Amino acid sequence: MANTETEGVEPLLRLRGIKKHFGAVEALAGVDLDVPAGQVTALLGDNGAGKSVLVKSIAGIHEPDDGEIFWQGQRVRVPSPRASAALGIEVVYQDLALCDNLDVVQNMFLGRERLSGGLLDEDEMERAAAKTLAGLSVTTLRSIRAPVASLSGGQRQSIAVAKAVMWNSKLVILDEPTAALGVAQTKQVLELVRRLADQGLAVIMISHNLNDVFAVADRVAILHLGHMVGEGKASEFDPQRVVELMTTGRSTRQPAAPEALSQATVYSGELGKD
Amino acid sequence: MPSSAVTASGQPGPVSNDQTFGAYARGLWSRLLAGQSGVLPVILGVILIGIIFQSQNPRFLSPENLVNLLVQGSVFMLIGMGQVFVLLLGEIDLSLGFVAGIGATVMVLLVTYAFGWPWWAAILAALAVTAAIGAVQGTLITRLRLPSFVVTLAGLLGLQGVMIQLLGTGGTIPVPDEMINNLANGTLTPMMGWILTAAAIAVYAVVTIVRHLRRHRSGLVTPPAGLTALKILAAIVAGVTLVVICNVDRGSVRFPFNGMPWVIPIVFGVLVMWSLLLGRTRFGRYIYAIGGNAEAARRAGISLPRIRTMAFVLAGMTAGIGGIIYASRLRSISTSFDGGTIVLYVVATAVIVGTSLFGGRGHPLHAVLGGVVIAAIVNGMALLGLPAAIQLMATAVVLLAAITVDVVIRRRGETTR
């Protein structure tokens, strides 16, 4: 189900006919997806729909059996996580992968520490980390030298996101970023997601929470049993249609009328969505 | 580099970001409440131990006894600094006691007349052997993914056997080399003690001031200047006190005897070296990262087997230094060396001061301070003439009390997940 809503502009990432089998199980049956820069693309689907497999194909964790990946218009292969990172793709997994005993700066630079004269250049790293966090308006931290163990869930999520965008990344993939968060912290993280897109990054957000999806997503892509059953602007969907597509792969409903949208988008006003 | 999209609105901090004393004190207080108390409770504990024993026996705080206590604790401190590397990973090395024993045995054998190696070559060979033992155990643990507890338990048993085998039927080999005996028994001249201490304080002061100025200039959050001055002042007071105590004559009228024992600069040197390695290099950062969250470290591209094996190598080598000091202090090595008890005391030294058995938290300084605590308790109770039964039970109570305080305070600081 290819689409033509990117207004003639080549999307940052374009997937065509991605297939993946695990033994006899067909996890992805020829999936197409466009991920434009500067927009939040929500990836939806029931358990087992193939969301994780699709994301792992992009992140280089397993290569698709068939299909094409275009990055900035060029056909690419993503055989390893390293190749994915080299393109500018960063994944923030649900478990965040932060070291509780290290502070914010140390976590953000883990594995890519800056050195001066063979020793760690703590001041330089602290400056760069502070700059990135300020750029993302992550301002609730008491100190960026506090160990991550002392932070709230929303703050951890923010640090994990900031860590991902620090490295000239162009596409950030967020796996259920709000799954474990309370209301206020969810809002904080969704605002951050919105800001990433506003700064020109492409964002793929996997989520089960339709409120979150309609709050920040510009585009929606719905997987059902390895098939892309709905893809397009968020304004063309409403929660009920999304649920039908997620559960049955079909929808009898017409695309939502613009009026219907205001009820669905809970946070949109506060988030300053375009 | 931050992505170009981010720099647009990214603001560097204000030009000057110095904290006032009040702000710093509030931050310190909240860190204390949050369980990041550092070594403060232990320093208070040492003072308390000092008061208790001094009130019972006025010889406890005599210069003679204090110096003796530091020398007694040095073997625990050194092996403990090795153990910290392994504990930081969330592993344990039960063999370190007998690794130290092997180091001592190898060194002593090589300087005996049978081999006649010079002292320095024998020491280097001993350290190479202990590092190699660490490498073998570390490789088994990291490559074959065997549990460190079992591998090093086998090491504890097997290396004791090797040691008895090496020492042969006599069971005791004296150290025929004066240089090696001096490592633990020799003292610096009073003047040399002053010079070395002054040099160490000067280096510390310069590094602290330079770091303060650099942070101040680059607009990072800087602790108050007065605090930096206070730290340097504290270092001066501590250094001067140490030298004064060491330089008091603790011999008899006929045999005057004073000066700082060589082991103090040796322990201090190892402490500085390992603190730098753990605190200021990538290797050290990765040790902490693996101990904190191995999966996160792996995803960050860190080679876990390499770093882990290296930690066991350093642990073995540092234990080797401890073994050399042990042999030097007794001027011999014998099959009565009890590496099994030593390694348990060594784990206690690190844990008492706040090194975690679950990894990710710890510092070589913990082993040194813990060594002081253990040595103070053992020494103090021996001075009071308490029987061994009471000594063991009291040590156990102190260990439990220390770990309880540490765990209870720390638990408050972590957000529940």
Side-chain angles (χ1 to χ4, degrees), chain A residues 36-60:
Chain A
Q39 298 192 26
V40 177
T41 305
L43 187 56
L44 292 152
D46 209 348
N47 291 340
K51 304 183 301 272
S52 300
V53 182
L54 186 62
V55 162
K56 284 176 179 168
S57 307
I58 305 170

Side-chain angles (χ1 to χ4, degrees), chain A residues 131 134-136 198-199, chain B residues 2-12:
Chain A
K131 199 167 161 183
L136 294 172
D198 291 345
Q199 291 180 354
Chain B
S3 76
S4 53
V6 172
T7 48
S9 51
Q11 292 285 325

Side-chain angles (χ1 to χ4, degrees), chain A residues 151-195:
Chain A
L151 303 185
S152 71
Q155 288 173 329
R156 285 155 181 274
Q157 187 73 47
S158 303
I159 299 305
V161 171
K163 181 184 175 185
V165 301
M166 236 182 141
W167 308 103
N168 281 323
S169 49
K170 300 188 178 74
L171 167 61
V172 178
I173 303 174
L174 304 166
D175 188 3
E176 299 267 3
T178 58
L181 302 182
V183 175
Q185 296 188 342
T186 296
K187 182 160 173 280
Q188 185 185 330
V189 169
L190 291 181
E191 283 171 352
L192 177 58
V193 170
R194 189 65 247 159
R195 230 170 280 131

Side-chain angles (χ1 to χ4, degrees), chain A residues 37 42 58-59 70 197 208 273:
Chain A
I58 305 170
F70 296 91
H208 273 119
K273 192 173 127 190

Side-chain angles (χ1 to χ4, degrees), chain B residues 305-329:
Chain B
R306 203 167 54 83
I307 303 281
R308 279 190 171 138
T309 308
M310 198 60 206
F312 278 94
V313 170
L314 289 171
M317 205 183 80
T318 315
I321 302 175
I324 288 165
I325 298 299
Y326 179 91
S328 165
R329 199 161 88 80

Side-chain angles (χ1 to χ4, degrees), chain A residues 82 93 95-102 106 110-115 118-120 122-128 130-136 142 145-152 156 163 165-169 199-201, chain B residues 1-7 9-12 27 30-31 34 36 211 214-215 218-221 276 278-282 285-297 299-302 359-361 413-415 417:
Chain A
R82 207 171 282 275
Y93 291 98
D95 61 359
L96 300 185
L98 297 174
C99 293
D100 277 352
N101 58 330
L102 300 185
Q106 292 169 340
L110 188 61
R112 312 187 232 204
E113 291 81 2
R114 289 193 198 158
L115 302 177
L119 298 179
L120 297 172
E122 294 288 349
D123 291 358
E124 174 57 31
M125 288 192 275
E126 187 171 332
R127 236 186 331 265
K131 199 167 161 183
T132 300
L133 290 171
L136 294 172
R142 191 162 38 88
R145 283 299 183 186
V148 166
S150 66
L151 303 185
S152 71
R156 285 155 181 274
K163 181 184 175 185
V165 301
M166 236 182 141
W167 308 103
N168 281 323
S169 49
Q199 291 180 354
L201 278 79
Chain B
M1 292 297 287
S3 76
S4 53
V6 172
T7 48
S9 51
Q11 292 285 325
S30 68
R31 279 205 299 281
Q36 299 165 42
R211 192 179 298 170
R214 203 187 298 139
R215 284 185 72 89
S218 58
L220 295 169
V221 175
L276 273 178
L278 281 171
R280 312 278 298 160
T281 69
R282 275 195 175 150
R285 178 63 41 84
Y286 295 167
I287 293 244
Y288 282 98
I290 293 171
N293 185 344
E295 177 59 19
R299 283 193 208 152
I302 296 167
R361 182 160 49 82
E414 286 171 11
T415 50
R417 288 179 295 294

Side-chain angles (χ1 to χ4, degrees), chain B residues 30 61 75 78 131 138 216 264 299 318 393 416:
Chain B
S30 68
L61 290 182
V75 172
L78 286 164
H216 173 76
I264 292 180
R299 283 193 208 152
T318 315
M393 288 188 271
T416 44

